Amino acid sequence: MAAVRRKFGDEYQAVGLARCSARRERQRFVDKNGRCNVQHGNLGGESSRYLSDFFTTLVDLKWRWNLLIFLLTYTVAWLVMASMWWGIAYLRGDLQQAHGDSYSPCVANVYNFPSAFLFFVETEATIGYGHRYITERCPEGIVLFLFQSLLGSVVDAFLIGCMFIKMSQPKKRAETLMFSRAAVISQRDAKLCLMFRVGNLRNSHMVSAQIRCKLIKSRQTPEGEFLPLDQCELDVGFGTGADQLFLVSPLTICHEINSESPFFCLSQRSLRSEQFEIVVILEGIVETTGMTCQARTSYTEDEVLWGHRFLPVMSLEDGFFRVDYSQFHATFEVPTPPYSVKEQEESLSQSSLLNSPFEKKSRREQVCPLDCADATGEKNKLPAKLQKISSRKEGLPPRALRMSSCNTQKNFSTGDLLEIEEISPMSDGEDSDHRMQLKGLKINAKALTQSTSKLELQKDFPGMGTLEVKLEDNFPAKL
């Protein structure tokens, strides 16, 4: 226990199964020992089917009924056959005659019913004391002797075979296969899982051991049909081969709760109000007898512990591994989210949708605001007079405004700016303002045609743009 505390921390706390037994008990479909609580009634005329398979019916009976049938069968057979031997002696008059050299009876030394009974037992058991024997002058006795031998062989084969199969049934082998008293729900590998434990108490192995799980739960179909005790398969590793067990030490069977699981919407709160039963079936071949063995158990909703984990039971000793079965059923609490897998996936999808507008932007959204910002910043860097001229563009016709753009404003040449600076001191009155507006419109149109021609030249000759930049570097200051 100290090693477990060091491994799992000081907050380790073992949880017993007293809380499970203290909860309410309800009717089970399968008991903890594997017995199915199902009784067949109102068979009517179908009861004769049991007699058609009398041998299986006899094997399925309880031991007390098997012993009673065994004793009654042999007792009745012996009494009937002894009565037949006594009847032959009575009809032949052997009972009243003295058996000697002058008289040859059917069966020597049979004088009454007890002696006839002893003769049958000696013959049936092949004891052969030699005092009572059949003579050759009794043909009916010879026929009865043959019938007795055949009938005895059939009865022996039937009853002894039934008892042998009854004793060799692997049901008792299932008593040494253990299941944990409770199942747990906790996280394993960042996934919510339903887990329970299974162990083998014998050193002999279970060959080809395989485990299956069934969920027993009543439900109603969308068409309104009610299905009582509907069976649903729980995946315990069928696709990955995890359901094939090498059962030499206790194993923890895991069912991953995902979108295909019946527990996809199960949370810690809804677990208290649910009603279901998990039936576990372990099958394998007994190594010593070669017969198939099946062990069963079940877990109700009261026996499923949310946020628990099984205690480790394996420890390394000197040269071997030791299994501590005293901690086989013990569990301890671990941090587990109380939400269902469906709720967790919905919360993750919502958070991803909220973060997606800020993380993913189109190329147009990333490039266009920068261009507009550059254009605005470049406009703010112009002198006050030029800003006044550019603000008057709002009064221009819409067609002229459409022809001008952010890129057009960037393509003003140095000569155009100098020309605007030379015109600007002359704007003193309304006429000068009007002339200035017309001049600005002409300059914009001229710049637009220049920028358009430059774009066409760059499109046709990609190297012209670079050549034009190099030529402009050698122009005088006024240009």
Side-chain angles (χ1 to χ4, degrees):
M1 299 295 288
V4 175
R5 291 180 187 275
R6 288 194 300 270
K7 182 177 180 180
F8 295 99
D10 297 334
E11 297 181 355
Y12 158 77
Q13 180 182 2
V15 179
L17 272 296
R19 56 183 298 181
C20 294
S21 59
R23 294 182 179 180
R24 68 183 188 277
E25 294 184 0
R26 65 176 182 86
Q27 183 63 41
R28 290 176 174 269
F29 187 70
V30 177
D31 287 337
K32 297 294 288 184
N33 58 4
R35 186 177 63 88
C36 299
N37 293 322
V38 178
Q39 293 184 358
H40 304 282
N42 298 327
L43 296 178
E46 303 298 330
S47 301
S48 59
R49 295 177 179 267
Y50 290 101
L51 297 177
S52 61
D53 190 12
F54 183 72
F55 185 80
T56 305
T57 304
L58 192 62
V59 173
D60 288 339
L61 292 177
K62 295 183 179 180
W63 269 107
R64 54 179 177 267
W65 298 111
N66 274 276
L67 294 176
L68 179 61
I69 292 173
F70 186 84
L71 294 175
L72 287 177
T73 302
Y74 274 108
T75 302
V76 171
W78 291 348
L79 291 175
V80 170
M81 294 304 297
S83 301
M84 295 179 69
W85 285 110
W86 179 82
I88 291 176
Y90 177 78
L91 294 175
R92 288 177 56 89
D94 295 340
L95 302 178
Q96 292 83 15
Q97 297 290 335
H99 299 177
D101 296 336
S102 60
Y103 181 78
S104 178
C106 182
V107 179
N109 300 319
V110 174
Y111 303 102
N112 48 25
F113 183 79
S115 60
F117 182 79
L118 290 175
F119 169 73
F120 166 76
V121 173
E122 291 175 10
T123 305
E124 181 67 24
T126 64
I127 295 175
Y129 291 114
H131 183 64
R132 298 177 181 89
Y133 56 91
I134 188 172
T135 62
E136 68 278 3
R137 297 182 181 180
C138 182
E140 61 272 16
I142 296 174
V143 174
L144 183 59
F145 178 77
L146 296 176
F147 177 73
Q148 172 188 331
S149 300
L150 294 176
L151 181 62
S153 300
V154 172
V155 172
D156 290 343
F158 187 84
L159 292 180
I160 295 176
C162 178
M163 295 298 292
F164 175 77
I165 293 177
K166 185 74 174 178
M167 288 186 295
S168 62
Q169 275 187 332
K171 289 184 178 180
K172 294 302 179 182
R173 179 64 177 89
E175 298 292 335
T176 55
L177 297 175
M178 291 182 61
F179 296 94
S180 59
R181 296 195 189 100
V184 299
I185 293 179
S186 60
Q187 285 188 332
R188 172 179 284 190
D189 297 331
K191 298 176 182 178
L192 197 64
C193 299
L194 170 72
M195 294 174 285
F196 58 90
R197 180 177 279 174
V198 60
N200 182 16
L201 297 180
R202 290 187 179 273
N203 292 327
S204 60
H205 304 316
M206 293 289 294
V207 182
S208 301
Q210 184 179 10
I211 194 164
R212 296 182 291 120
C213 291
K214 294 284 186 179
L215 176 65
I216 310 297
K217 184 179 179 181
S218 301
R219 68 181 183 91
Q220 189 172 6
T221 62
E223 294 80 12
E225 181 184 3
F226 180 72
L227 302 177
L229 303 178
D230 184 47
Q231 299 184 12
C232 179
E233 187 76 20
L234 292 181
D235 186 12
V236 289
F238 178 76
T240 59
D243 59 334
Q244 304 291 333
L245 307 180
F246 182 55
L247 196 59
V248 296
S249 63
L251 299 177
T252 301
I253 310 302
C254 178
H255 165 68
E256 180 184 344
I257 302 177
N258 49 26
S259 58
E260 298 179 357
S261 172
F263 299 126
F264 182 58
C265 302
L266 183 67
S267 63
Q268 186 177 10
R269 179 178 296 179
S270 62
L271 179 62
R272 304 170 185 172
S273 59
E274 288 285 342
Q275 285 191 355
F276 59 85
E277 185 173 350
I278 302 171
V279 178
V280 181
I281 304 171
L282 175 62
E283 293 178 338
I285 301 174
V286 181
E287 187 179 28
T288 54
T289 61
M291 302 184 69
T292 303
C293 174
Q294 185 180 92
R296 297 182 295 267
T297 190
S298 67
Y299 301 99
T300 59
E301 69 279 355
D302 298 333
E303 297 169 345
V304 178
L305 307 179
W306 189 282
H308 285 71
R309 188 180 298 165
F310 287 107
L311 279 175
V313 294
M314 293 286 295
S315 61
L316 180 61
E317 302 291 340
D318 295 336
F320 62 93
F321 292 93
R322 182 181 181 84
V323 180
D324 183 12
Y325 278 98
S326 63
Q327 304 294 331
F328 184 81
H329 305 285
T331 62
F332 64 97
E333 295 183 0
V334 291
T336 305
Y339 309 105
S340 64
V341 178
K342 181 180 180 181
E343 294 173 349
Q344 296 179 18
E345 291 183 357
E346 289 178 352
S347 62
L348 290 176
S349 61
Q350 290 177 0
S351 61
S352 62
L353 288 175
L354 291 175
N355 296 330
S356 60
F358 301 97
E359 295 176 354
K360 298 179 181 180
K361 290 183 179 181
S362 63
R363 182 175 180 86
R364 183 180 181 87
E365 292 175 348
Q366 293 176 357
V367 176
C368 186
L370 295 177
D371 295 341
C372 297
D374 294 341
T376 306
E378 199 167 319
K379 179 180 178 182
N380 294 332
K381 291 178 183 179
L382 295 176
K385 293 182 179 181
L386 295 180
Q387 291 180 8
K388 183 177 179 181
I389 294 173
S390 62
S391 62
R392 288 179 180 177
K393 288 173 62 179
E394 296 177 357
L396 296 177
R399 184 176 180 183
L401 291 177
R402 284 196 303 269
M403 293 174 64
S404 62
S405 61
C406 298
N407 296 328
T408 307
Q409 293 177 4
K410 290 182 181 180
N411 292 326
F412 279 124
S413 64
T414 308
D416 296 335
L417 294 177
L418 293 174
E419 202 171 326
I420 293 173
E421 288 181 356
E422 292 176 1
I423 297 173
S424 58
M426 299 175 60
S427 58
D428 294 330
E430 292 181 357
D431 294 337
S432 63
D433 292 340
H434 186 65
R435 288 196 303 270
M436 184 67 68
Q437 185 174 0
L438 293 177
K439 283 283 186 179
L441 181 59
K442 291 179 180 179
I443 291 171
N444 287 335
K446 183 178 180 181
L448 180 61
T449 55
Q450 291 178 358
S451 61
T452 305
S453 62
K454 288 179 181 179
L455 289 175
E456 291 178 354
L457 289 173
Q458 289 179 3
K459 182 177 179 181
D460 296 335
F461 304 99
M464 290 298 293
T466 307
L467 181 61
E468 186 178 356
V469 171
K470 292 181 180 180
L471 292 175
E472 286 179 0
D473 293 338
N474 299 324
F475 285 168
K478 291 183 179 182
L479 295 179

